[in-house]
Amino acid sequence: MRDIVDLVYHPAPSIERLYLELTNRCNLSCEMCYRQNWHEPLGDMSIDMLSSIAGEVSVFPDLKEVILGGIGEPTIANNFRQAVKLFAAQYAVTVTTNGTTLDKALIEYLLSCGVARVVLSVDTTDVQAFAAIRHENVQGILESTRYIADQKVNGKPEIIWEFVAMKSTLPYFLETVQQAAKLGVNRVFVSHILPMRKEMIEETLYYPTLATETEQTFQEGFLLGLAKGVDVVLPKSQLRTDRHCKFVETQSAVIRWDGEVSPCYRFLHSYPEYVFGRHKLIEAYSFGSLTEQSLLKIWTSQEFMSYRYKVLTGGYPSCTDCEWVSGCDMVFRTDMDCMGNAPSCGDCLWGRGITVCP
């Protein structure tokens, strides 16, 4: 006897978190960034599209948070202030930024609009080390952090620092947590680096080159944060059985600057990455364009619902620890996996908790 299971999807306007990439342009050229090795046209989301999205989201009753981020620097987008104003009155708006453009006028605008969170990239508070990584002076970002903390209204916005853990930044981790506490940071998110260039592989600190020093430093940073009132969120440093997709589990959709709707940051653009030293081509994947369909129609399409179900239930291969991975040709791309899934999430390090986004 053969058991047959028919899956019946019930379309629902269930988006809870909406990520908006206002632009894929950036004013920096950080050593670990996608844009060090990609070739895509640059642009900003049009005001018409932004306004259309603001009108459409009213059909999603569970929408709680709008994240202004993506791969570009949102604060340099032509539509940044309009985006904040459109969404902050009704939703918890999170602004993810490299922090270099946050002068007092812009900070005061964000405060007046009531943004919920400001996430800044601070891999180290050491001036020379920061300059070597991001080619920018960290001092202005530290001053902006303090100004935001001093000007908070009713505890808002929450201040989050993102720390990319690499061999070159780990020695500064404890000092960064210490400075975060002094400057009024609420939380520090730590993520391992996912190399986009071959020469960055040697910066990795996780499996299979995990050193005792890494875990020890992480734990010291966590305990220091606990003592100082800073929530330090640590990544995994080795493979575990469990896989969790933050984007799918939080009912998230990601809209690229040109209106393409992706399931996560990983599939927002095409670029190379190195997974445990193995070269892989990530290919942008869209479930539909807002220039042709509504967000509701894209979200409730059979293809998008099926994708979310498979990711949520683990119906995809675990390429990272597969015994056949060294002889598999499918592992070099994301257009298909050995179970017929497209796109392929088989060796996503976000799903393993090794790379982390707030």
Side-chain angles (χ1 to χ4, degrees):
M1 179 179 177
R2 180 181 297 171
D3 291 329
I4 299 175
V5 176
D6 290 325
L7 292 177
V8 179
Y9 298 106
H10 297 283
S14 54
I15 293 178
E16 296 179 15
R17 303 175 88 217
L18 186 64
Y19 291 78
L20 299 181
E21 182 183 66
L22 302 181
T23 182
N24 65 348
R25 297 183 296 113
C26 190
N27 60 328
L28 298 184
S29 183
C30 305
E31 290 298 316
M32 74 290 277
C33 184
Y34 295 81
R35 55 196 346 103
Q36 288 286 351
N37 201 1
W38 74 336
H39 305 281
E40 290 197 10
L42 302 178
D44 292 9
M45 184 178 288
S46 70
I47 295 298
D48 287 344
M49 179 170 292
L50 184 62
S51 299
S52 177
I53 294 169
E56 281 194 58
V57 294
S58 61
V59 304
F60 297 95
D62 298 325
L63 180 61
K64 302 179 182 69
E65 183 178 5
V66 176
I67 300 94
L68 305 179
I71 305 307
E73 169 53 41
T75 63
I76 70 169
N78 298 326
N79 53 23
F80 176 67
R81 287 180 178 247
Q82 291 94 326
V84 173
K85 187 174 182 179
L86 278 170
F87 295 102
Q90 190 170 355
Y91 305 103
V93 166
T94 295
V95 175
T96 62
T97 173
N98 59 40
T100 60
T101 64
L102 291 182
D103 56 22
K104 288 186 177 181
L106 184 54
I107 291 172
E108 288 168 2
Y109 179 79
L110 297 179
L111 290 167
S112 69
C113 291
V115 299
R117 298 171 199 87
V118 177
V119 183
L120 303 103
S121 301
V122 182
D123 309 303
T124 169
T125 53
D126 181 83
V127 174
Q128 291 183 336
F130 189 90
I133 297 166
R134 297 194 178 265
H135 311 293
E136 182 67 36
N137 190 332
V138 72
Q139 193 58 42
I141 302 170
L142 304 184
E143 292 172 1
S144 295
T145 299
R146 168 56 73 190
Y147 190 72
I148 296 170
D150 289 344
Q151 301 299 317
K152 278 187 178 184
V153 179
N154 297 324
K156 292 172 56 177
E158 178 184 13
I159 305 173
I160 299 172
W161 276 3
E162 286 185 288
F163 181 98
V164 179
M166 302 182 284
K167 285 184 179 178
S168 57
T169 63
L170 188 65
Y172 306 102
F173 179 52
L174 298 182
E175 176 60 25
T176 301
V177 175
Q178 185 82 29
Q179 289 296 319
K182 289 181 179 179
L183 296 174
V185 175
N186 301 99
R187 191 174 304 175
V188 175
F189 267 90
V190 183
S191 175
H192 282 294
I193 184 178
L194 179 54
M196 309 294 172
R197 295 180 294 144
K198 192 172 184 178
E199 53 266 38
M200 296 301 288
I201 295 175
E202 63 184 26
E203 285 279 3
T204 60
L205 295 168
Y206 49 89
Y207 168 91
T209 58
L210 177 62
T212 304
E213 177 191 5
T214 300
E215 293 290 73
Q216 181 178 343
T217 303
F218 279 175
Q219 289 304 315
E220 289 178 6
F222 175 81
L223 293 175
L224 177 61
L226 198 63
K228 299 291 185 178
V230 179
D231 182 16
V232 177
V233 182
L234 297 172
K236 301 288 192 302
S237 295
Q238 53 191 325
L239 295 175
R240 304 293 186 186
T241 301
D242 294 341
R243 296 182 290 176
H244 297 281
C245 176
K246 179 177 180 178
F247 288 91
V248 170
E249 292 181 1
T250 59
Q251 296 287 292
S252 300
V254 186
I255 303 177
R256 201 167 70 179
W257 69 272
D258 57 0
E260 298 295 329
V261 180
S262 294
C264 61
Y265 275 170
R266 192 182 190 219
F267 291 127
L268 201 57
H269 297 283
S270 298
Y271 58 92
E273 70 180 26
Y274 289 85
V275 182
F276 305 138
R278 171 176 29 85
H279 180 271
K280 188 181 189 72
L281 177 62
I282 308 300
E283 296 169 283
Y285 197 92
S286 170
F287 285 98
S289 172
L290 294 183
T291 62
E292 300 172 357
Q293 304 175 73
S294 70
L295 181 57
L296 178 61
K297 188 171 183 179
I298 295 170
W299 179 256
T300 57
S301 66
Q302 186 80 7
E303 182 189 11
F304 205 170
M305 288 190 293
S306 176
Y307 167 83
R308 297 197 301 272
Y309 174 79
K310 288 179 180 179
V311 173
L312 193 63
T313 57
Y316 59 100
S318 179
C319 305
T320 46
D321 51 2
C322 174
E323 60 182 322
W324 308 112
V325 67
S326 60
C328 179
D329 290 336
M330 304 187 82
V331 78
F332 299 118
R333 302 171 66 89
T334 56
D335 55 348
M336 185 74 71
D337 63 33
C338 62
M339 296 175 66
N341 298 312
S344 171
C345 300
D347 56 2
C348 176
L349 296 190
W350 277 274
R352 294 291 191 168
I354 291 175
T355 49
V356 179
C357 289

